[in-house]
Amino acid sequence: MEAAAIPAPGHGHEDHHHGPPPANRSSRAEPGMLGMLLFIISEIMIFGAFFTAYFFIRVVQDQPWMPEGNELPVAIAGVNTAILLSSSLTLHWAETGLKNGNRFAFKAGMLTTFLLGLTFLFIQVNEYVHIGFAPHDHAQGSVFYGLTGLHGAHVFIGLLLLGIVTLRAFKGHFSADDHRGVEIPGIYWHFVDVMWIIVYTTIYIV
């Protein structure tokens, strides 16, 4: 009589799990969302460096923010601020429409958001052309162009993301159950809008 075969260790009917147990769903962040949040945190630090230079000029050196003869177009920048903030509202309209299955609201909201952001960037470039001083004229000019230019670069990147989402929207992509590709660029765009409020208040108003 042949002896019964003894199963090799680890090769029984049950496949035992080796290593740490899988994380609970509540403690597992989606890579895309986590990546965007970490990116935003790093960008806040970059803006913080420019704001440090701004406060050094105004507080430590006690210099006037703009030298005599140089004025900032506060009213035009205020209108531009309203345009950019409106784009956050239209983006929210688009996201809400998508989640509710309203594709017209989704497409119209995304297109309007993109056009408002493009208008903001155009007005800012036009402001640079007519403002009357260059970054190398004085320290205040360097900080002004640095902060507003850094923000403008973020607007440009945001427009690229919104443009891709808008094109995909008109191609029938995304749905009420598949909207993460809209939410993540949306978070970035809302960050850009909030950061502009801080820049506008600090640079043009205070």
Side-chain angles (χ1 to χ4, degrees):
M1 179 180 296
E2 296 182 359
I6 301 176
H11 294 281
H13 293 290
E14 294 183 0
D15 186 14
H16 296 287
H17 176 78
H18 296 280
N24 294 327
R25 185 63 186 173
S26 60
S27 63
R28 195 186 305 167
E30 294 188 10
M33 186 68 70
L34 179 60
M36 178 55 71
L37 293 177
L38 292 176
F39 174 73
I40 288 175
I41 292 173
S42 68
E43 294 305 290
I44 291 175
M45 294 179 181
I46 296 176
F47 275 98
F50 283 89
F51 280 115
T52 300
Y54 166 83
F55 285 110
F56 181 82
I57 293 174
R58 298 201 66 173
V59 178
V60 178
Q61 295 188 342
D62 195 24
Q63 295 184 20
W65 167 229
M66 277 293 128
E68 186 177 354
N70 296 133
E71 294 184 0
L72 299 179
V74 179
I76 295 176
V79 173
N80 216 18
T81 301
I83 291 173
L84 191 62
L85 294 183
S86 298
S87 70
S88 270
L89 298 178
T90 56
L91 179 58
H92 178 71
W93 175 42
E95 292 175 337
T96 302
L98 177 62
K99 293 176 182 179
N100 293 332
N102 186 344
R103 295 204 63 84
F104 171 79
F106 173 47
K107 293 187 290 185
M110 289 306 307
L111 181 60
T112 305
T113 302
F114 179 81
L115 293 177
L116 288 171
L118 192 63
T119 302
F120 172 88
L121 200 58
F122 174 80
I123 293 176
Q124 186 174 26
V125 172
N126 186 68
E127 177 183 316
Y128 287 165
V129 173
H130 298 94
I131 201 166
F133 60 86
H136 57 269
D137 287 344
H138 38 67
Q140 293 89 332
S142 298
V143 174
F144 170 80
Y145 278 97
L147 265 174
T148 58
L150 178 64
H151 181 268
H154 283 74
V155 172
F156 179 76
I157 295 173
L159 285 175
L160 292 179
L161 298 176
L162 292 180
I164 293 173
V165 174
T166 302
L167 289 175
R168 293 186 63 188
F170 279 87
K171 289 184 177 181
H173 296 183
F174 307 114
S175 66
D177 299 322
D178 178 24
H179 49 75
R180 186 62 72 191
V182 180
E183 284 185 338
I184 294 178
I187 291 174
Y188 177 82
W189 189 254
H190 291 309
F191 158 72
V192 169
D193 289 2
V194 171
M195 185 56 66
W196 176 252
I197 295 175
I198 300 173
V199 172
Y200 173 71
T201 304
T202 305
I203 297 298
Y204 291 88
I205 303 299
V206 177

